[in-house]
Amino acid sequence: MKKETYAYPSTMARMKAEYKIFILAFVFIVIADSIGQIQVPLGPGTLILFPIFYSLIMGVISGPEVLKIFNKKEVKAASKLVIVAICPFIAKLGINAGASLEVILSAGPALVLQEIGNLGTIFLALPFALLLGLKREAIGATHSINRESNLALITDMFGPDSPETRGSLSIYVVGGMVGTIYFGFMTTMVAALHIFHPYALGMASGVGAGILMASATASLALIYPNMAAELSALASTSETISGITGIYVAIFVGIPLTKKLYQLLEPPIARLRREPSEVLESRKKEMDAKENNAKSREER
């Protein structure tokens, strides 16, 4: 006699929501890929719109606040699937890193240490994030440029449902929409100044984010068509090194620095905003827990 299995309604509802996400995501990808790149000349620069921009826009307008194709439960389910979707790309980064060890070891200090420059943005971004009302989300949002590897790192360290991961995911999405346009336009504007050598611009294009690198190098290829191959190679090498060094910089410097600054800045900014301080409340709970433990030991 064949034993019947029963799927709980919550499990069936979750699977239904995930299938809906997968199907519509595939439809969005097909539509975006059919549109392709759009180049808009703007003064000495050029705006380049990539397919990922259209996909993200379609995802945003299909949410519960606009077209309501997805409800809030499906949006929450989709946020957990992001890390699953980017795992193949993260594995590809690891493979490229292993194959490029000789390049990394032979690279100059400008390439190896360029990731340290991203740490300076923490001192500017974190106070602004707190002033806008973010709490622990600011740690995930401001510790780095928040691309695939950083999102995976934050998810692994703090958990997929943590405020830190929500902050990192938010910047990941915003970076995909705004970053591609900004990088492509900024590259053409800087190149038009004729201050930096094209090779320097190629190396600067590799910041640890594949889509941002693609946007920058596509703009450079339009400006320097005879050097397109060399610029792409330099950008790819810089991208690989940034992806590797960026993880270690985030683990040992970026995240600890952001957490420390959060502990220092959150209480005064919370007072400025006239709202409760998460840091002070957390410290109070810890003190109460210690006092309760001490009392229980004395009673024993």
Side-chain angles (χ1 to χ4, degrees), residues 23 93 96 102 113 213 241:
I23 293 170
L93 287 177
N96 288 342
E102 185 177 350
L113 300 177
M213 182 198 72
I241 295 173

Side-chain angles (χ1 to χ4, degrees), residues 115-124 142-143 249-250 253-255 257:
E115 189 65 24
I116 302 296
N118 290 333
L119 297 175
T121 60
I122 295 174
F123 296 93
L124 177 65
T142 63
H143 82 283
V249 170
V253 184
I255 294 175
L257 175 61

Side-chain angles (χ1 to χ4, degrees), residues 37 55 74 96 122 199 224 241 245 254 258 277 279 284 293:
Q37 294 183 18
S55 300
E74 291 167 341
N96 288 342
I122 295 174
Y199 287 173
Y224 307 106
I241 295 173
T245 59
T258 309
S277 169
V279 172
K284 184 179 179 181
N293 290 334

Side-chain angles (χ1 to χ4, degrees), residues 65-81:
E65 303 299 329
V66 187
L67 298 180
K68 300 181 179 179
I69 298 175
F70 294 110
N71 56 40
K72 291 185 178 180
K73 290 183 178 179
E74 291 167 341
V75 170
K76 188 175 181 180
S79 65
K80 296 180 180 179
L81 293 173

Side-chain angles (χ1 to χ4, degrees), residues 23-33 55 58-59 62 69-70:
I23 293 170
L24 286 178
F26 180 76
V27 172
F28 293 161
I29 290 171
V30 172
I31 294 173
D33 194 57
S55 300
M58 286 186 282
S62 64
I69 298 175
F70 294 110

Side-chain angles (χ1 to χ4, degrees), residues 34 43 54 74 100 102 112 123 130 132 138 140 152 169 172 181-182 185 192 196 202 207 230 233 248 262 264 292:
S34 300
Y54 322 133
E74 291 167 341
S100 306
E102 185 177 350
V112 176
F123 296 93
L130 293 175
L132 290 173
L169 178 61
Y172 176 80
I181 298 175
Y182 175 75
F185 181 66
F196 301 101
V207 295
E230 293 88 341
Y248 294 105
Y262 176 76
L264 294 173
N292 292 333

